[in-house]
């Protein structure tokens, strides 16, 4: 495979942007709390330290616990190299909606069984919650992508996203409602507020953090890196939905499209930090009500896609 200049930009951005997004979120949250906060790339420094530390393993752990984070990281890296989360052709072609959804499900499966394999009651409890939330949020996520696929007459993500503005024939309403659905379902998938508090230390209320409570050293580094890549993947797709919908109203120069998406991704990080600073965590019984909003947005997107395609 010959790397083009667009591929190099894609890979360089993939290397830097995940840690930048996490750093921006933590920095803005610290500002709202009247704190200086950590450096923007502190998560990258932490990753280097974790790779240089030793692992502490429970005597109950098997190969599943050791290989789970590696499989999850490999799957997430594959998705980030094949899914056009930036409006450029990705280095690895051929990823469609269904492959995307199934690889995410495979990553989630290994994350859940590796946390259960550790034998900790807290990680098993969190794994059960993760499975329940994913089961509820996945329809909204899939419907939003399918609505875009119906409008683009293809399930190939490279034909839906990553296209020049002049070739974009998906209606504004479909882009906008799909972006809202992906953002709301992304909050659930990424275990952010108000579904989960990533900064809490009470194991009974945690989802993602309690799942990885037994990980340490390089294993924990792979888990944190996988999460950063997942954040980048979701924010990239959501940002493109809003940028493409904006392009239906305001003429955007094609050369500025990737830069516009990166700016919107940082704006989404700022919005996430504001939500986590001013909202409270929902009780477990209220989570389905929140997810219902994501499902409603995805249904509106699907209805708009069918209406624009003549109901066929």
């Amino acid at each position: 495979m010959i790397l083009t200049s667009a591929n190099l930009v894609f890979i360089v951005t993939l290397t830097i942007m995940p840690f930048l997004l996490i750093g921006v979120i933590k920095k803005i949250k610290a500002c709202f709390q009247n704190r200086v906060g950590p450096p923007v790339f502190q998560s990258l420094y932490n990753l280097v330290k974790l790779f240089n530390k030793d692992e502490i393993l429970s005597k109950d752990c098997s190969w599943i616990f050791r290989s789970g984070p590696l499989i999850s990281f490999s799957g997430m890296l594959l998705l980030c190299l094949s899914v056009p989360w930036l409006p450029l052709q990705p280095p690895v072609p051929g990823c469609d909606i269904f492959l995307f959804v199934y690889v995410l499900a495979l990553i989630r499966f290994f994350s859940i069984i590796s946390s259960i394999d550790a034998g900790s009651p807290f990680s098993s409890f969190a794994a059960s919650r993760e499975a329940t939330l994913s089961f509820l949020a996945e329809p909204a996520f899939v419907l939003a992508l399918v609505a875009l696929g119906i409008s683009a007459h293809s399930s190939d993500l490279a034909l839906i996203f990553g296209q020049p503005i002049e070739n974009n024939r998906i209606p504004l309403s479909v882009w906008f409602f799909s972006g809202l659905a992906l953002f709301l379902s992304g909050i659930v998938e990424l275990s952010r507020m108000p579904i989960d508090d990533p900064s809490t230390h009470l194991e009974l209320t945690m989802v993602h953090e309690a799942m990885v409570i037994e990980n340490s050293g390089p294993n924990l580094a792979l888990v944190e890196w996988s999460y950063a890549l997942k954040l980048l993947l979701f924010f990239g797709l959501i940002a493109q939905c809003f940028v493409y919908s904006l392009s239906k109203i305001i003429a955007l120069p094609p050369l500025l499209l990737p830069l516009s998406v990166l700016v919107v991704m940082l704006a989404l990080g700022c919005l996430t930090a504001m939500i986590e600073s001013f909202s409270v965590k929902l009780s477990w019984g209220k989570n389905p009500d929140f997810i219902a909003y994501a499902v409603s947005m995805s249904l509106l997107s699907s209805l708009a896609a069918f209406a624009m395609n003549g109901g066929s």
Side-chain angles (χ1 to χ4, degrees):
M1 180 180 66
I2 300 175
L3 291 178
T4 64
S5 57
N7 293 153
L8 291 175
V9 171
F10 198 97
I11 293 173
V12 170
T13 310
L14 174 62
T15 305
I16 299 173
M17 200 65 182
F19 307 107
L20 180 60
L21 282 173
I22 292 178
V24 166
I25 293 174
K26 290 184 177 181
K27 199 72 173 178
I28 293 177
K29 287 175 66 175
C31 291
F32 281 121
Q33 297 168 5
N34 292 323
R35 297 186 292 108
V36 175
V40 173
F41 286 100
Q42 183 62 50
S43 57
L44 177 59
Y45 307 148
N46 292 341
L47 214 63
V48 175
K49 288 193 295 184
L50 286 172
F51 274 118
N52 290 320
K53 287 188 174 182
D54 295 329
E55 283 183 296
I56 300 176
L57 296 175
S58 168
K59 59 182 177 61
D60 299 317
C61 292
S62 68
W63 66 269
I64 296 176
F65 179 79
R66 297 295 304 276
S67 59
L70 180 59
I71 295 173
S72 298
F73 173 76
S74 301
M76 196 58 64
L77 184 60
L78 174 63
L79 287 180
C80 286
L81 289 173
S82 59
V83 174
W85 52 267
L86 199 63
L88 298 170
Q89 290 300 314
V92 181
C95 185
D96 67 358
I97 293 173
F98 304 103
L99 178 62
F100 181 33
V101 172
Y102 279 117
V103 172
L104 278 179
L106 181 67
I107 292 170
R108 186 182 302 114
F109 171 75
F110 276 99
S111 298
I112 290 174
I113 64 170
S114 64
S115 62
I116 295 175
D117 184 70
S120 168
F122 292 123
S123 57
S124 301
F125 185 72
S128 174
R129 289 192 165 192
E130 171 74 9
T132 303
L133 289 173
S134 300
F135 174 77
L136 294 174
E138 195 171 76
F141 175 71
V142 174
L143 276 176
L145 292 177
V146 168
L148 293 171
I150 291 172
S151 298
H153 302 286
S154 174
S155 64
D156 189 350
L157 289 172
L159 295 177
I160 300 172
F161 299 94
Q163 288 293 306
I165 293 179
E166 59 271 15
N167 296 341
N168 175 20
R169 291 181 289 181
I170 300 178
L172 183 152
S173 56
V174 178
W175 278 122
F176 182 72
F177 287 125
S178 293
L180 289 177
L182 289 175
F183 179 70
L184 294 175
S185 59
I187 289 177
V188 183
E189 291 281 350
L190 295 167
S191 298
R192 310 298 304 193
M193 289 282 282
I195 297 297
D196 185 27
D197 187 357
S199 60
T200 186
H201 297 288
L202 181 60
E203 289 87 349
L204 289 175
T205 65
M206 292 191 293
V207 181
H208 176 264
E209 296 298 324
M211 284 181 63
V212 301
I213 200 169
E214 295 293 326
N215 293 84
S216 59
N219 250 22
L220 182 57
L222 289 174
V223 169
E224 296 295 338
W225 201 350
S226 299
Y227 179 84
L229 293 176
K230 189 175 184 179
L231 181 72
L232 174 77
L233 190 62
F234 271 80
F235 275 19
L237 296 180
I238 296 166
Q240 285 190 80
C241 288
F242 291 134
V243 169
Y244 278 122
S245 61
L246 182 63
S247 69
K248 299 293 184 178
I249 304 173
I250 303 171
L252 294 175
L255 293 177
L256 292 180
L257 184 61
L259 181 60
S260 302
V261 171
L262 292 176
V263 171
V264 175
M265 289 173 68
L266 292 175
L268 288 172
C270 297
L271 177 61
T272 302
M274 293 177 64
I275 292 173
E276 295 186 355
S277 298
F278 296 107
S279 64
V280 295
K281 184 179 181 298
L282 294 174
S283 62
W284 180 251
K286 296 290 184 181
N287 287 338
D289 296 337
F290 178 87
I291 297 172
Y293 289 109
V295 177
S296 300
M297 293 299 105
S298 64
L299 287 175
L300 287 174
S301 178
S302 300
L303 289 174
F306 276 114
M308 295 298 178
N309 285 273
S312 58

